[in-house]
Amino acid sequence: MAMEAPSSWDALRKQARKLEAQLDEQMNSYRKLVSAKASTKADASESDLESWIERLLKQLEQVNSQMQAWVSSGGSEMVSHTLTRHQEILQDLTQEFYRLPSSLRAKQEHASLLEDFKEFDRTRLDLEEGVGSAEQTLLKEHASISRSTGQVDTVISQAQATLGALVLQHSTFGGINSKLGNISSRLPTVNNILSAIKRKKSMDTIILSLVASVCTFLIFIYWLTK
């Protein structure tokens, strides 16, 4: 925006004060923006505000140059002192304007680093959770294997006990078979003795029968002859 050239010292001072007031207002808004902003990207409001402040600073610098030319052409000491004051204000505003973006960039970089740290922390936690899940899975598998091993040990113990019982039964049956074999080997002798006893009993029976017959016959004869 073109600025009309003031025609007197008072007009220059009036123009300088107007620009300084506008700059003070815009700088106050810029300070609030820097204090509140945490985004790493510049938005439209920030860019527009910076451009407007830069234009105002250039205009104030032009007014100060015109005031310097007025003083150099023969202004009084009071005028020179007033010019010095306006130059100091311009210098302070300019320094603060270029300092605030640096502060804003530092704040944005800090926010970016903080976000990176949070992302790193989230990634670390995800990895730890993944490792924890893997460990839990391994522990569950180990417990399952231990239970299966215990069950296998129990089955083996039962099988060993059953095998021992079968071996004992086999030994018992072997003893019985041996006794049965001994009995079987002795049976012919027993049978012979029994047969001899039966034969002797049969002979006794025959003898007794003959004796009884003879006695009966003798009694019958005795009865006939009487």
Side-chain angles (χ1 to χ4, degrees), residues 141-153:
E141 291 180 355
H142 178 71
S144 177
I145 292 172
S146 298
R147 288 193 297 270
S148 299
T149 303
Q151 293 174 356
V152 170
D153 291 339

Side-chain angles (χ1 to χ4, degrees), residues 51-68:
S51 298
W52 177 238
I53 292 175
E54 286 180 350
R55 286 196 296 268
L56 291 175
L57 287 172
K58 288 180 180 179
Q59 291 177 9
L60 182 58
E61 184 177 1
Q62 292 176 0
V63 172
N64 281 349
S65 297
Q66 292 174 5
M67 294 173 70
Q68 179 66 48

Side-chain angles (χ1 to χ4, degrees), residues 103-182:
S103 176
L104 178 60
R105 284 192 297 271
K107 187 174 183 179
Q108 291 171 345
E109 290 175 359
H110 176 73
S112 178
L113 290 173
L114 183 61
E115 184 63 29
D116 292 341
F117 177 77
K118 290 180 179 179
E119 182 64 25
F120 172 77
D121 194 49
R122 286 193 293 267
T123 303
R124 179 180 60 81
L125 290 176
D126 292 340
L127 290 175
E128 289 179 354
E129 289 177 358
V131 172
S133 299
E135 290 179 351
Q136 291 295 328
T137 302
L138 290 175
L139 289 174
K140 289 180 180 179
E141 291 180 355
H142 178 71
S144 177
I145 292 172
S146 298
R147 288 193 297 270
S148 299
T149 303
Q151 293 174 356
V152 170
D153 291 339
T154 301
V155 173
I156 291 174
S157 299
Q158 293 175 353
Q160 289 177 344
T162 302
L163 179 61
L166 291 175
V167 171
L168 180 61
Q169 290 178 2
H170 178 72
S171 177
T172 302
F173 289 150
I176 293 173
N177 290 331
S178 178
K179 292 178 181 179
L180 289 175
N182 293 331

